[in-house]
């Protein structure tokens, strides 16, 4: 079964607008971590934001915020004030406590920012 | 902080040769390193997990004799693709996790083309 589901293969967003990238996950663990990574065309994976399952507040890092809804098992990424440099592939990933820090990745969402 | 380097960034080789890819954590000691493979427009596939000083743990379907992994020190892991064939052409990317750190930090990746 898919552990991480990203249902949006591609999205377009206007510069300076906000965009929300969907991510749902499946786990029976109580302790887990959720990550978002950005992969530009160069290929490097850039860590954006982390949310622990026991964190009560939504994580924020600059223009990135994670909308964590535990009961719904969703961890959507919100990018505010989009910039042209935000055009990239975005991956949601989960680390489960029992799984020795391995990450399960979603299929990814390609974001294209238009001027 | 948390910088991971990978070398080489590009390699083109003839079918039947072996190729070694290095992954180094530059400013932290990597308790665990992970090796992934990624095909164009697809997600990352975990190949193996390596802990310093012990044998790598391979994911199901990954040939351990084909993809040799060595994690000789807390800052260096190597992946050797032995007797490479055109179907081994792919983007190989490593990540590293330090003791007590939640996040995996990724190297810039290596593009392998086997002719």
């Amino acid at each position: 079964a898919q552990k991480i589901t990203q249902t949006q293969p591609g999205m377009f967003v206007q510069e300076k607008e906000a965009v929300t990238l969907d991510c749902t996950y499946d786990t029976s663990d109580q302790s887990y971590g959720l990550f978002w990574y950005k992969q530009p065309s160069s290929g490097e994976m850039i860590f954006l934001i982390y949310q622990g399952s026991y964190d009560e507040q939504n994580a924020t890092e600059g223009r990135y915020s994670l909308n964590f809804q535990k009961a719904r098992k969703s961890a959507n990424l919100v990018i505010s004030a989009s910039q042209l440099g935000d055009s990239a592939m975005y991956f949601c990933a989960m680390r489960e406590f029992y799984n020795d820090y391995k990450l399960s990745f979603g299929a990814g969402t390609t974001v294209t920012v238009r001027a | 902080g948390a910088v991971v380097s990978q070398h080489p960034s590009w390699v083109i080789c003839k079918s039947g040769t072996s190729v070694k890819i290095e992954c180094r954590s530059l400013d932290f000691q990597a308790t665990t390193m992970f090796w992934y493979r990624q095909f164009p427009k697809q997600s990352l596939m975990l190949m193996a997990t390596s802990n310093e000083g012990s044998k790598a743990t391979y994911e199901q379907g990954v040939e351990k004799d084909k993809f040799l992994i060595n994690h000789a020190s807390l800052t260096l892991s190597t992946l050797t693709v032995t007797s490479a064939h055109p179907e081994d052409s792919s983007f190989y990317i490593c990540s590293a996790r330090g003791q007590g750190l939640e996040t995996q930090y990724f190297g810039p990746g290596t593009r392998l083309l086997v002719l």
Side-chain angles (χ1 to χ4, degrees):
Chain A
Q2 283 272 54
K3 290 190 177 182
I4 296 285
T5 303
Q6 293 180 254
T7 57
Q8 306 150 311
M11 297 184 73
F12 290 94
V13 60
Q14 206 63 31
E15 199 177 7
K16 298 180 186 175
E17 290 186 352
V19 62
T20 298
L21 308 184
D22 294 341
C23 172
T24 57
Y25 59 92
D26 182 26
T27 181
S28 54
D29 253 9
Q30 295 302 309
S31 177
Y32 52 90
L34 297 156
F35 302 80
W36 277 93
Y37 287 89
K38 171 185 178 182
Q39 187 178 41
S41 56
S42 59
E44 60 184 314
M45 292 283 283
I46 302 167
F47 165 69
L48 296 178
I49 197 165
Y50 166 77
Q51 179 87 40
S53 58
Y54 293 117
D55 294 340
E56 294 187 353
Q57 297 216 330
N58 286 342
T60 59
E61 287 287 347
R63 294 186 298 112
Y64 305 107
S65 60
L66 198 152
N67 184 0
F68 181 45
Q69 297 188 40
K70 196 169 181 177
R72 296 179 61 187
K73 292 190 175 177
S74 77
N76 297 342
L77 176 71
V78 180
I79 306 173
S80 62
S82 296
Q83 302 172 355
L84 295 177
D86 293 335
S87 294
M89 187 91 151
Y90 289 81
F91 291 99
C92 179
M94 176 174 66
R95 191 272 301 159
E96 294 168 289
F97 178 76
Y98 76 93
N99 210 10
D100 196 24
Y101 289 94
K102 294 180 188 178
L103 290 178
S104 302
F105 282 89
T109 296
T110 300
V111 172
T112 304
V113 181
R114 290 169 162 160
Chain B
V3 178
V4 177
S5 71
Q6 213 171 313
H7 178 81
S9 54
W10 265 102
V11 58
I12 301 173
C13 69
K14 291 182 179 178
S15 188
T17 60
S18 293
V19 174
K20 182 185 279 189
I21 302 169
E22 290 187 351
C23 177
R24 291 181 186 272
S25 56
L26 297 185
D27 53 1
F28 68 102
Q29 293 188 324
T31 311
T32 310
M33 286 185 166
F34 303 85
W35 287 95
Y36 296 84
R37 184 173 180 176
Q38 186 182 30
F39 292 105
K41 307 288 186 188
Q42 293 187 23
S43 189
L44 280 72
M45 284 172 30
L46 179 65
M47 298 174 68
T49 305
S50 75
N51 293 296
E52 185 264 339
S54 59
K55 287 185 181 178
T57 304
Y58 290 81
E59 294 300 298
Q60 196 171 10
V62 177
E63 300 173 59
K64 51 185 75 174
D65 294 330
K66 173 82 174 168
F67 299 99
L68 300 178
I69 291 170
N70 184 280
H71 192 161
S73 76
L74 281 171
T75 59
L76 173 65
S77 177
T78 59
L79 166 68
T80 302
V81 183
T82 61
S83 187
H85 289 100
E87 58 265 30
D88 298 324
S89 298
S90 190
F91 185 61
Y92 292 87
I93 189 165
C94 71
S95 70
R97 185 187 73 82
Q99 180 74 33
L101 293 180
E102 184 63 53
T103 302
Q104 285 184 33
Y105 293 93
F106 284 80
T110 297
R111 297 191 190 279
L112 170 65
L113 177 61
V114 185
L115 301 176

